[in-house]
Amino acid sequence: MKSLWNDAEAAQFTGPLGPRVYSSRLLGREKALVLHGGGNTSVKRREKDLFGAERDVLYVKGSGWDLESIEAAGFTPVDLEYVRRLAGLPALSDPQMVNELNTHMLRAGAPAPSVETLLHAVLPHAYVDHTHADAVLSISNAPRGEERIREIYGERVVVVPYVMPGFDLAAYCARAFREQAGPRTVGMVLLSHGMFSFGADARESYERMIALVSLAEEYLAQHDAWAVRLPEPRRVRVAREALADLRQTVSRATGRPMILRHSDNPKFLAFAQHPEVARLSQQGPATPDHVIRTKPLPMLGTDVPAFGRQYAAYFERHAPQAKEPKTMLDGAPRMLLDAELGFVAIGRSAQDAAIVEDLYDHTIDVILRAEALGGWRAVSERDLFDIEYWDLEQAKLRRAGEAPPFLGEVVLITGAASGIGRACVDAFLRRGAAVVALDRSAAVAEARARAELLALQCDVTQPQAVQQALEAGVARFGGIDMLVLNAGVFPPTQPVTEVSEDAWHRAMAVNVEANLRLLQGAYPLLKRAPRHGRVVIVGSRNVPAPGPGAAAYSASKAALNQLARVTALEWARDGIRINSLHPDAVYDTGLWTEELLASRANAYGMSVEQYRRRNLLATEVSSSDVAELAAEMCGRLFAKTTAAQLPVDGGNERVV
Ligand SMILES: [Zn+2]
């Protein structure tokens, strides 16, 4: 592992916490050190209070911040002397510890300080860095782990056995440090948990971390345990209905819709097909705090109820011994390994599922390297239970507010690169949905990459492309719950006598046939939607009130309208709702060029300005007005409504 320290870059991080922010980010950039909120860092500073009195302040990473993107505001100042005294108490419960930390913060509104704050406080050095380095975990979770760690590091590190984070660990580390630390000591290994390094300045502490982890990597390489390879996996084809079925079962077990993320990484598939997968995967995570996101073990195979029974038995084995009464979490898996399916990550949101996938990606490396050293083993089931059901985690669950309405659900939107479609993408993302955004324009993929959005260039008139899009959507999110059929074309204005065959066919192909195909392809998925499928059709004011010169457009939208009505009749038995919107006078869309506006205005004998406001309310309707309504039509307000046709047009005399 190489140091990423760069003086020029470091100089850009100014202010008293600048170096602390910079080197924390360097740690965060290295996924083999920390992942998704894992790890923490701190700095101790002497500062003057308002009365000029000096005091020692510990700035420690606040909860909710990621090292990779942390800023000065992400470090919470606490009264160092007080926190050190806390660490010297004979005992302190977790709720007491949290209360004391929260009441001894020195900046109102700072995030809650890390649960490892006491540990940072008891170490004497100005800068303290903590990671869950993969290489160190592989060694400490192999046979003779402690011996190997001592052999690699000698006096350079203090070695601490596995102890649950919090007060006990801090007290243990304080003692171990007094007993073991010598003049050459630069770090501390917490067996089966991670690595600490410390130093007088940010660079020293950071580069010691890199040096310590590099020693572990070299040790693995010397013992043929670094570049571990899995055999080429047997390729499998996963039917999208199979994934959607699984998602339905998992969602039933949690009582809410869940995202399933199927990985096509051959490493996952090879691990799932490993002859020893049962032994390797059924011990526990690489480092205990993964358990919050992944549960202790991945499910082997696809029997969700059986997994739930095993999980309940695990809860029953350990809950009675806990200090406080515990509430059992849902019994659904967060990871699945299966020779036919490969690896599936499961989460409440697409972001959660992506994190689970990342964690297990690194876990496989840690497991295989430990295995190459003679045999992987994780901490005890009891230790995992203690973390999973930690007071502090249970309290978070009790506090959790109301989830956004579409969290865990998936919507597919066509024509998503501009206008109403693009506004729909935003409206559904804001409501917590994962979005499959399709458009024939490459501009659809220009949006910022995020776990909740899968943007695909796709011409919906191409059956093959639609199949591929559905395939990709299900692989990424596990199913499709909602469909917004928005893509459409408006052929040039032509009187009926002059309508060209081309224009007619094009209107029918995009506005009708493509939507028929999408409905057909999505049906098996909508049928399996945990909260029942919903479809929103973006129709047109031309359906109830066609305009002269727009024969192809009006006829195609009318055909689409009938298609929607018949579909609503046929799919009601599956609980699928299909509603249509008839927008009009929406000019901020890809459909409306200046020429088209002029030509339509002309067809009505109006100026462009009159044409824009030719509705009863004399108002302009925007893409986002339509998109908000489309999203609401998929929500609770419209739960008892199907086959409705709703105008969004500012009121139209001819429709009224
Ligand atoms: Zn840790």
Side-chain angles (χ1 to χ4, degrees), residues 116 130 132 193:
E116 284 169 321
H130 169 48
H132 300 152
H193 173 164

Side-chain angles (χ1 to χ4, degrees), residues 415-426:
S418 60
I420 293 172
R422 191 192 181 112
C424 282
V425 171
D426 294 338

Side-chain angles (χ1 to χ4, degrees), residues 440 458-466 506 509-511 513-514 517:
R440 73 193 166 111
C458 170
D459 179 347
V460 290
T461 63
Q462 302 298 313
Q464 195 59 29
V466 168
R506 178 93 187 122
V510 179
N511 297 349
E513 287 153 27
R517 221 171 285 121

Side-chain angles (χ1 to χ4, degrees), residues 206-224:
Y206 166 74
E207 290 193 331
R208 282 174 172 173
M209 176 64 74
I210 302 301
L212 290 170
V213 174
S214 299
L215 286 173
E217 292 182 347
E218 283 156 25
Y219 179 89
L220 287 168
Q222 283 156 14
H223 291 75
D224 279 335

Side-chain angles (χ1 to χ4, degrees), residues 525-566:
L525 304 168
L526 295 171
K527 215 166 86 167
R528 289 168 171 83
R531 283 190 185 147
H532 300 299
R534 285 140 283 164
V535 181
V536 174
I537 308 262
V538 179
S540 168
R541 186 265 308 159
N542 277 47
V543 173
Y553 181 74
S554 304
S556 67
K557 286 289 188 181
L560 172 62
N561 198 56
Q562 290 302 82
L563 173 62
R565 297 174 71 194
V566 174

Side-chain angles (χ1 to χ4, degrees), residues 420-644:
I420 293 172
R422 191 192 181 112
C424 282
V425 171
D426 294 338
F428 280 86
L429 283 175
R430 258 201 312 281
R431 287 167 173 80
V435 177
V436 182
L438 308 187
D439 202 291
R440 73 193 166 111
S441 157
V444 74
E446 279 164 15
R448 190 170 62 90
R450 51 190 285 184
E452 300 85 358
L453 178 61
L454 175 65
L456 300 170
Q457 192 178 0
C458 170
D459 179 347
V460 290
T461 63
Q462 302 298 313
Q464 195 59 29
V466 168
Q467 291 302 320
Q468 282 167 2
L470 289 170
E471 206 74 44
V474 174
R476 174 69 78 84
F477 301 127
I480 308 272
D481 304 274
M482 300 171 277
L483 207 53
V484 178
L485 298 180
N486 163 69
V489 288
F490 197 117
T493 301
Q494 289 169 326
V496 172
T497 49
E498 284 164 33
V499 169
S500 72
E501 202 140 313
D502 264 8
W504 183 264
H505 286 309
R506 178 93 187 122
M508 291 299 166
V510 179
N511 297 349
V512 191
E513 287 153 27
N515 288 325
L516 171 65
R517 221 171 285 121
L518 275 155
L519 285 167
Q520 289 171 333
Y523 174 62
L525 304 168
L526 295 171
K527 215 166 86 167
R528 289 168 171 83
R531 283 190 185 147
H532 300 299
R534 285 140 283 164
V535 181
V536 174
I537 308 262
V538 179
S540 168
R541 186 265 308 159
N542 277 47
V543 173
Y553 181 74
S554 304
S556 67
K557 286 289 188 181
L560 172 62
N561 198 56
Q562 290 302 82
L563 173 62
R565 297 174 71 194
V566 174
T567 314
L569 286 171
E570 292 182 7
W571 293 0
R573 64 167 182 269
D574 300 306
I576 303 172
R577 302 190 283 106
I578 295 145
N579 292 301
S580 298
L581 285 172
H582 292 320
D584 189 25
V586 183
Y587 300 114
D588 58 343
T589 73
L591 218 59
W592 287 94
T593 57
E594 285 304 316
E595 300 87 79
L596 184 60
L597 252 178
S599 101
R600 295 309 302 152
N602 193 37
Y604 280 86
M606 293 177 183
S607 72
V608 168
E609 206 35 52
Q610 287 169 322
Y611 183 72
R612 277 178 184 280
R613 300 182 157 274
R614 71 189 198 296
N615 59 60
L616 291 173
L617 298 172
T619 182
E620 220 173 293
V621 185
S622 71
S623 289
S624 81
D625 293 329
V626 182
E628 290 297 312
L629 197 50
E632 285 306 314
M633 283 183 124
C634 293
R636 223 176 289 162
L637 275 179
F638 283 77
K640 307 293 166 69
T641 302
T642 191

Side-chain angles (χ1 to χ4, degrees), residues 32 49 71 123 146 209 238 246 310 328 339 347 376 421 424 441 478 482-483 487 539 626:
D49 67 15
E71 293 163 21
L123 295 169
E146 178 171 355
M209 176 64 74
V238 180
L246 189 63
Q310 284 160 22
M328 195 177 105
W376 153 256
C424 282
S441 157
M482 300 171 277
L483 207 53
V626 182

